[in-house]
Structures are given as structure tokens and as C-alpha cells.
Amino acid sequence: GSVSVTGNGNNTVSGSSAGLYAKSQITYCYNVTGGASSYATGSHYIDPASIVMTSNSGKNLVTGTDIGIYATRSLNSTERYTLNSTYASDNREYHFYSVLANGGLPGSTVTLAGIDNEVSGNIGIRAENDATVTLEATGENIVSGSEAAIVALTGSQTTVTGGSVVVSGKLLAAHGYTYSWNDYSNLPAQARNRETLSTISIEYGAGSSVNGDMRAYKAGIITVAPADGETGSVAITGDAYAYGSDEDLPESVSSSDISLQIPDQLYYGVGFNTDTPTTGTVDITLSNGSTWSGTSDTGLMAYQDGDVTEDEIGTVNLELNDTSVWTMTGSSAITLLSGDGGTVYYQDGGDALQV
């Protein structure tokens, strides 16, 4: 279903669990005695969920005790029980590919558009299972969470763009997925091969800030860069982590991240065995006097110490213009350092930077 709210003043939504909750549903009907072949010929019903909140002259304010905005997708309970209890995993996977071939697996969408947007909760925004969350503002975008500001999982995309962007809390992008299922040649290519990344995009204008770590694992991508046509700046305070898997992180940070990645049906809405050969990526572009205070950890130093394998090394790219500064608060490893004359400042003279 879809919900659209438009106001000329402020739009305010609050909830004890989630402020806004969008959940797409998929129901599939097939011959339960027909084996794998019935999955290609059965019928399916997809109910994508969509929420649009627009304020023409004021603020969109969304608060939730647990989650400000929660966007996800799942099967109905009867179908879930049947699939999990009756058929082997290969038939279940084929079932999902037949749905994909016949119209796809749409995730839910949530869009906030206004002069100002403000979203808060224990987790500000949580998007999973191909969901799309977009915050667009001309004045100010504020996202905060005591446990995390934004969590993007299993092929979801979250974008915060326009105006001054103020993020308070951790950014976590993880568990994008790739999958190839070529045993069933009768399915079209888009059904046999699928790749979806989990992304968080912070597109900043003037006076923006990000206060919290940026952590990307397993086909998760976090991007912090100027909005198109903007000449803004951002002040980032927090560390960047990009690994192949959260299990490889230092224990001091991994336990909290892993707990954030176990919601109800984390992988079930995707429906495939998750196979993610790519690692995490953090891309940061600093312009117009922007600053970053923190460290960068790609797993390279852990690999050199023999703690992780080479394919667990992630990617952190940093681009600085000539007025921007990275204050490195500890020894760091970075994949690509580029720009036109920016400054890297070693807060501690004994720290090391590997590029």
C-alpha cells in the first residue's frame, strides 16, 4: 500500500516503536506437490509499500522510540512457514528467482521532502531488503540515533541530500548481495544473476557535520560528498572502517555492529543465500574547508599482523581539495589518497599512515 502526506506547515509523526514503518509483502501461490517446476508457473502477489511525506513550507519531523524510519520487506507468515518447512533450500531459491523473473522483488520506499527534515530514534533510519529511503531538504536534514544514525542492509539504499546535513550517530552499511543461479537456463538473465549493494549517501551542503563512525562491510558502501551543484563543507568526527566482514573487526567495535545486523528476517526478505565477494567501501570527499578528525582502518594492518586474510581488506578512499584537512587521530591505512593540495595532519607524531 501507499501513504502520502502533504502539508503547508510542519508534519509531525511519532511512534513507540517506529515513527514511519514501510513493509512490502510478497505472497506466492504454487502447486505444493509439483516440485521445483511449479515455482516457475505459480502466481505471486507483490504489495510494495510506499510512504511520501512532503512539507511545502515547514519541517518533516519523525521520531520513534526504537527506530525513526524503518523500511523493509518480507513474505506473509503462511508462505514463510510453507517455504521453510516443506521444501529444500534450492527449491526455495528457485521460487524467489521465478518471482524476480515475473516482476522483481521490490523493496519498500520512504521519501521525506521539505525545507527541513528531522529523523531520530535509538536508530534514526533502518533500511533493509532492497528498501529505498530518501531525505531531501533545502534547509536542513537532521538524522540522529543513540545506537546508530543510519543502518543500511541487504541491498538497501539511503540518501540524505540537500541543505545542511547534520548526522549524529554511527553509519553502518553491510550485507549487499550477489548471486548467480545458472542451473535453470529457462530463466532470463536478470533472474539468474543479481547484484545489489547496501549504500548510504550523505550529500552535504554548507554547514554540514557527521559525528559518528562510518563502518562498511560485505558490499556495503558509505559515501560522503558535496551535493550536486553545492559549494558546501562538512566537519566529520569519527573513524572509518571498511572490512570484508564485521567478524574481523576489533572486538571493541564488532559486537555492537553485529547486534545491529540481526533484525527479524534479515536475509529472508532477500530470499537467496547471501554470497558477497566484495568488501566494504568508504568514500569521502572533502571540499571548501571541510575537515575530518579520525582514523581509517581498511584491515590492512590486521592483515599484516596475520589476523585476517587478504580478501577481507576493505577500501577507504579520501579526496581533499586545497582547503581541506584530515586530522589523523591514530595510525591509519587508506586505499587512495587524492586531491589538489589538501592537508593531512598527524595529531600524534608517532602515528603511521599506509597508502
Side-chain angles (χ1 to χ4, degrees):
S2 62
V3 175
S4 179
V5 178
T6 301
N8 290 322
N10 294 333
N11 296 321
T12 302
V13 178
S14 63
S16 58
S17 180
L20 293 177
Y21 181 35
K23 185 176 183 179
S24 295
Q25 298 278 354
I26 298 175
T27 303
Y28 195 81
C29 301
Y30 50 89
N31 179 1
V32 296
T33 61
S37 62
S38 68
Y39 287 80
T41 58
S43 61
H44 66 277
Y45 172 72
I46 297 176
D47 183 16
S50 172
I51 298 175
V52 178
M53 181 178 290
T54 304
S55 175
N56 295 322
S57 58
K59 172 186 284 189
N60 294 309
L61 177 61
V62 180
T63 60
T65 303
D66 295 329
I67 304 173
I69 295 175
Y70 187 17
T72 186
R73 180 192 63 231
S74 73
L75 296 174
N76 66 52
S77 59
T78 302
E79 189 73 7
R80 185 184 315 123
Y81 176 83
T82 302
L83 290 175
N84 280 338
S85 303
T86 307
Y87 293 103
S89 61
D90 61 337
N91 286 344
R92 185 165 66 250
E93 291 159 2
Y94 186 72
H95 150 70
F96 274 97
Y97 274 104
S98 66
V99 174
L100 179 62
N102 286 283
L105 291 166
S108 57
T109 62
V110 177
T111 303
L112 269 58
I115 295 176
D116 300 315
N117 296 314
E118 183 172 354
V119 180
S120 64
N122 186 38
I123 299 173
I125 297 172
R126 184 187 192 93
E128 60 194 35
N129 299 335
D130 299 291
T132 300
V133 177
T134 305
L135 273 59
E136 301 177 54
T138 56
E140 191 171 48
N141 275 310
I142 300 174
V143 183
S144 61
S146 56
E147 188 172 3
I150 303 173
V151 176
L153 303 173
T154 48
S156 67
Q157 293 86 44
T158 296
T159 301
V160 183
T161 184
S164 174
V165 177
V166 179
V167 176
S168 299
K170 176 167 56 182
L171 303 178
L172 172 62
H175 295 294
Y177 61 91
T178 60
Y179 201 92
S180 295
W181 188 260
N182 292 312
D183 293 344
Y184 295 94
S185 59
N186 59 312
L187 292 178
Q190 69 268 25
R192 287 183 277 116
N193 298 281
R194 184 174 176 85
E195 179 178 37
T196 308
L197 304 174
S198 302
T199 66
I200 298 174
S201 298
I202 305 299
E203 302 175 356
Y204 62 82
S208 296
S209 63
V210 176
N211 292 292
D213 290 348
M214 299 160 285
R215 302 180 180 178
Y217 324 118
K218 279 191 176 180
I221 298 179
I222 297 173
T223 303
V224 181
D228 289 343
E230 290 278 358
T231 57
S233 61
V234 65
I236 303 173
T237 304
D239 300 328
Y241 297 88
Y243 274 62
S245 171
D246 43 52
E247 289 88 347
D248 296 318
L249 284 168
E251 185 176 354
S252 60
V253 298
S254 65
S255 60
S256 63
D257 285 5
I258 291 173
S259 67
L260 283 171
Q261 296 175 52
I262 311 177
D264 291 339
Q265 307 167 36
L266 171 60
Y267 297 108
Y268 196 81
V270 175
F272 319 135
N273 291 331
T274 302
D275 177 15
T276 54
T278 52
T279 58
T281 300
V282 178
D283 286 319
I284 301 172
T285 300
L286 301 181
S287 63
N288 300 305
S290 293
T291 61
W292 174 24
S293 178
T295 61
S296 172
D297 184 358
T298 63
L300 177 61
M301 291 179 285
Y303 167 69
Q304 293 170 339
D305 291 338
D307 295 330
V308 301
T309 60
E310 186 174 7
D311 60 5
E312 292 292 334
I313 298 174
T315 299
V316 178
N317 300 318
L318 174 62
E319 180 180 350
L320 306 94
N321 79 338
D322 59 355
T323 62
S324 298
V325 178
W326 175 24
T327 300
M328 200 175 69
T329 58
S331 294
S332 298
I334 204 160
T335 309
L336 177 63
L337 181 63
S338 63
D340 55 3
T343 301
V344 178
Y345 173 70
Y346 290 65
Q347 182 170 285
D348 186 332
D351 291 334
L353 173 62
Q354 298 188 62
V355 180

